[in-house]
Amino acid sequence: MKKTNSIDCFKCRHFYITWDANQPRGCKAFGFKSKRLPSQVVLETSGEACKKFSPKEEPPKKTPPKTGWIA
């Protein structure tokens, strides 16, 4: 039975895009680059889902500028 990957690396703070055309995706937590998503590589090699997934922090929401005129 093939295991499915439920981790989205694009939402992880450890994921990054490299300049290497042969290995364009990387994981800072595990310290490797790959052609495929790091979570897929981790699942294949360990047989378990990535344990180092950490969601990215969302940027603070901007408050809309106040409308009207200033006296």
Side-chain angles (χ1 to χ4, degrees):
M1 182 157 110
K2 188 173 182 178
K3 294 185 179 184
T4 58
N5 188 12
S6 62
I7 305 291
D8 185 4
C9 287
F10 291 98
K11 294 180 181 177
C12 180
R13 70 173 18 160
H14 303 296
F15 177 75
Y16 69 102
I17 302 296
T18 71
W19 288 96
D20 187 353
N22 293 324
Q23 298 177 337
R25 299 174 179 111
C27 178
K28 293 177 187 174
F30 286 108
F32 71 89
K33 298 185 288 184
S34 173
K35 237 179 195 178
R36 297 177 303 145
L37 287 174
S39 61
Q40 292 173 337
V41 175
V42 170
L43 180 65
E44 263 187 25
T45 56
S46 70
E48 296 181 10
C50 179
K51 304 272 188 204
K52 296 203 176 195
F53 176 80
S54 178
K56 289 182 182 178
E57 292 181 10
E58 300 218 2
K61 293 186 178 184
K62 294 183 179 179
T63 57
K66 295 182 179 183
T67 58
W69 52 283
I70 299 174

